Amino acid sequence: MAILSYLTTTHFDFGALRILPKELERLGMHRPLIATDRGVRAAGLLDAVLAVIPGAQDIPVFDDTPGNPTEAAALAAFELYQANGCDGVIGLGGGSSMDLGKAVALLAGSGGSLERYDPLTGGARRIERVAPVIAIPTTSGTGSEVSVGFVIVMKDGRKLTFASPKMIPSVAICDPELTLGLPPALTAATGMDAVTHCIEAILSPVVNPPAEGIGYDGLRRAWRHIERAVHDGGDREARWNMMMASTEGAMAFVKGLGPVHSMSHAAGRLPGLRLHHGTLNAVILPTILRFNAGTAPDKYERMAEAMGLPAGADLAEAVLARNASIGLPGGLRAMGVTEEMIPDLVPHAVADLSSRTTPKTVDAEVYRDLFHAAL
């Protein structure tokens, strides 16, 4: 049985940020916590948000979100939330800041520890309520502004995906203006994150035709505009389409994801490397496209069409070429991952939530081989 849920109100276009005061009023958020990072502050984007909020000088800001958000950072942000009597969260930034903001909202609404809500142990059923969240993305990749989940690196080293319809932000404000200054490398990495979301959602065996259709549209937009966005950050049409593709990718992955994300989450938790999630997805994607080839030839044909490729095109080779054209690494080895790390990575990939919606069966032995192939 398909369950179709698209519950988020999304304001989308250049200038959408101006709607923020009205949404704060509508949601009854009088003292929100802004969850963001130092890069967003340094880029002037925090100031742009504060400039549209009356009385913004009194709003508490947590700007210490790590590149891969951690349980420790979420608890520190929640402490600031409580100390200031906050009544909601504004998640401002890339997926890391929005995910951290969701974690704070969960703790504020339902209490307890984050581990209590681990979906692998039925934690989603324990979520009673979540504080209101306004999500404002400043990158085009994660789609966390409309997604049902968030990802956190726990104190014990696991990278967990928390998921529940209750975690969908109360409202998303998608203003491509906020991405015009995004550096080329980050544009490339986050853009390929959106591409991967669309592809893995399409290939998921879960039946949800509307979500799958959104995935094809997102893939079409991202694939045809990512090079323009990387090479000309001021290209407004490209930026608009990349942000739309990012949002669509998350709408599509209500179907679930797959091995790319299981492997990416496993590698992204490595404390010494601090690997970027979108870059990991881009680098691992060709290996998984080869692995899944033959499982759904009609889907591969439709993806090739969406990407503007001829029928029967090698999608893995196309992704490798696109990664190279926008300056991304050619394999995990170039990112610092070695053969010696693989035994540690495999069990985390097996346990990851994304392993539940893979087109082909994956186990420890398969993941070991896939990690070696992705090097």
Side-chain angles (χ1 to χ4, degrees), residues 16-372:
L17 186 59
R18 292 192 295 267
I19 202 71
L20 177 57
K22 290 184 178 180
E23 287 296 343
L24 287 168
E25 181 179 0
R26 181 178 70 84
L27 294 170
M29 291 172 62
H30 304 291
R31 192 164 180 77
L33 171 77
I34 297 181
T36 189
D37 62 53
R38 295 174 187 175
V40 170
R41 182 189 283 274
L45 301 179
L46 173 61
D47 290 338
V49 169
L50 293 173
V52 304
I53 305 175
Q57 66 274 7
D58 297 324
I59 294 179
V61 176
F62 182 85
D63 67 353
D64 203 21
T65 304
N68 287 296
T70 63
E71 181 182 10
L75 292 175
F78 180 50
E79 184 177 346
L80 183 63
Y81 181 102
Q82 290 181 305
N84 285 273
C86 294
D87 54 10
V89 178
I90 296 174
L92 172 67
S96 297
S97 294
M98 290 187 285
D99 280 7
L100 183 132
K102 289 182 177 182
V104 171
L106 172 58
L107 293 172
S110 295
S113 66
L114 280 177
E115 188 171 8
R116 182 170 182 263
Y117 306 106
D118 179 356
L120 297 177
T121 62
R125 296 192 300 270
R126 303 185 189 105
I127 299 175
E128 297 174 4
R129 65 176 295 272
V130 177
V133 175
I134 297 177
I136 307 176
T138 62
T139 65
S140 296
T142 175
S144 185
E145 68 273 9
V146 296
S147 79
V148 299
F150 63 90
V151 181
I152 296 286
V153 179
M154 303 296 284
K155 290 179 180 179
D156 61 10
R158 294 177 300 153
K159 191 169 187 177
L160 294 183
T161 301
F162 297 80
S164 164
K166 294 179 181 179
M167 294 311 312
I168 301 172
S170 310
V171 66
I173 298 177
C174 297
D175 189 337
E177 193 85 34
L178 301 178
T179 69
L180 290 178
L182 200 65
L186 195 53
T187 300
T190 56
M192 287 304 296
D193 192 17
V195 168
T196 306
H197 287 160
C198 293
I199 289 176
E200 286 219 289
I202 290 166
L203 293 177
S204 162
V206 173
V207 177
N208 190 327
E212 192 165 308
I214 291 171
Y216 285 116
D217 189 73
L219 177 58
R220 179 184 300 274
R221 292 179 189 276
W223 192 260
R224 296 171 190 235
H225 290 90
I226 188 170
E227 286 185 308
R228 285 171 54 182
V230 170
H231 298 308
D232 179 5
D235 186 325
R236 294 172 70 85
E237 180 185 11
R239 289 296 190 186
W240 192 99
N241 277 281
M242 289 307 300
M243 181 163 276
M244 180 58 75
S246 173
T247 299
E248 288 184 310
M251 289 178 172
F253 71 58
V254 296
K255 288 186 63 189
L257 292 163
V260 176
H261 276 77
S262 299
M263 295 169 68
S264 179
H265 290 157
R269 47 167 280 282
L270 295 172
L273 295 181
R274 298 182 178 180
L275 302 175
H276 186 271
H277 175 70
T279 307
L280 283 167
N281 281 348
V283 166
I284 296 169
L285 180 57
T287 295
I288 301 306
L289 282 169
R290 293 192 183 101
F291 173 69
N292 285 326
T295 59
D298 57 328
K299 292 182 179 182
Y300 270 65
E301 183 177 339
R302 288 190 64 187
M303 287 193 295
E305 180 184 0
M307 297 160 71
L309 302 174
D314 188 326
L315 300 190
E317 287 299 319
V319 171
L320 282 170
R322 180 56 51 88
N323 285 346
S325 75
I326 57 178
L328 294 177
L332 289 176
R333 197 186 310 276
M335 299 179 70
V337 178
T338 65
E339 286 90 346
E340 291 74 22
M341 297 175 182
I342 292 177
D344 171 70
L345 299 178
V346 166
H348 290 278
V350 171
D352 192 83
L353 188 64
S354 295
S355 289
R356 295 184 174 184
T357 49
T358 56
K360 290 175 66 175
T361 301
V362 285
D363 56 18
E365 184 177 355
V366 171
Y367 271 127
R368 183 198 64 203
D369 293 342
L370 291 174
F371 273 115
H372 279 286

